[in-house]
Amino acid sequence: MGNVGRPRNQTARREALVSAAGRAIAERGLEGLRIKDIADAAGVSQGSVLYYYPDLDDLVLEVHRGAVEDYLAPRQRAYDAAPAHDAAARLRALLDSGLPGGPDDAVHGLLYELHRRAGRSPGHAELMTSLFAREVALYVTALEVGAATGVFTLAGTAQDLAHGLVALEDGYGLHIISHNSALRPERIRRLLRAHARAVTGCAEL
């Protein structure tokens, strides 16, 4: 009976370590990440980190998985909150929710840092691929509904246009995170909306 609460405690401790590792990666980057940094951020011993995550890569993978969900959940909420009968509003919600708020955007910065692992790690590559596919699926739904209701006149297939919109977001987002003064968030949002108007024929975007 005395061990009933242990699984919950272990889950909470793992979540705390994942959160601490995310902060440490954001501050130091992946290349300089040390067990000590995570332990210090979590307020625990290095031994505690290694107890729950003997392989540092497993912990970093959990950080990546959490960052993906932290990025997607607000996008889904923004889409769902827009009126279901207003295809333009729903697409606007997606366009407005996909970019970093600024160079210090924590979730986007973490994702860009973690995506660098994709070329060397199948687990990270899978997460990056999954994130892209889920974003594309959101756009495909918005575009197909708009086309079916006559609000959009699509310049290509919904799938192709969705791929383009997500790729544009990713590219523009990197410029925001990288402090490109020529591409500030407000300007990028205007550019992204202009592209969306061009490929949907919808002036309301």
Side-chain angles (χ1 to χ4, degrees), residues 53-66:
Y53 291 99
D55 187 336
L56 182 59
D57 286 341
D58 290 341
L59 177 52
V60 174
L61 196 62
E62 285 300 311
V63 173
H64 197 167
R65 187 172 289 111

Side-chain angles (χ1 to χ4, degrees), residues 85-89 142-154 200-205:
H85 65 276
D86 191 337
L143 292 167
E144 287 182 342
V145 170
T149 55
V151 178
F152 301 155
T153 302
L154 301 184
T200 63
C202 180
E204 298 175 39
L205 294 174

Side-chain angles (χ1 to χ4, degrees), residues 22 26 33-34 55 95 113 127-128 132 151 168 175 199-200:
L33 185 65
R34 302 172 302 173
D55 187 336
L95 294 168
E113 184 72 21
L127 283 171
M128 187 174 176
F132 184 80
V151 178
L168 273 176
H175 283 280
V199 298
T200 63

Side-chain angles (χ1 to χ4, degrees), residues 71 75 94 98-99 135 139 165-173 192:
Y71 172 68
R75 301 204 74 179
L94 288 180
L99 295 169
E135 290 181 274
Y139 272 115
L165 285 166
V166 176
L168 273 176
E169 285 179 347
D170 288 348
Y172 278 141
L192 197 56

Side-chain angles (χ1 to χ4, degrees), residues 122-200:
H124 288 282
E126 183 179 340
L127 283 171
M128 187 174 176
T129 301
S130 171
L131 171 58
F132 184 80
R134 291 166 70 183
E135 290 181 274
V136 166
L138 279 172
Y139 272 115
V140 166
T141 299
L143 292 167
E144 287 182 342
V145 170
T149 55
V151 178
F152 301 155
T153 302
L154 301 184
T157 68
Q159 187 80 10
D160 286 350
L161 298 182
H163 276 90
L165 285 166
V166 176
L168 273 176
E169 285 179 347
D170 288 348
Y172 278 141
L174 184 58
H175 283 280
I176 294 173
I177 294 297
S178 302
H179 297 263
N180 185 342
S181 60
L183 288 170
R184 299 190 185 279
E186 300 78 13
R187 180 163 185 253
I188 288 175
R189 284 189 173 83
R190 290 196 300 272
L191 292 171
L192 197 56
R193 283 196 178 196
H195 176 78
R197 287 194 298 272
V199 298
T200 63

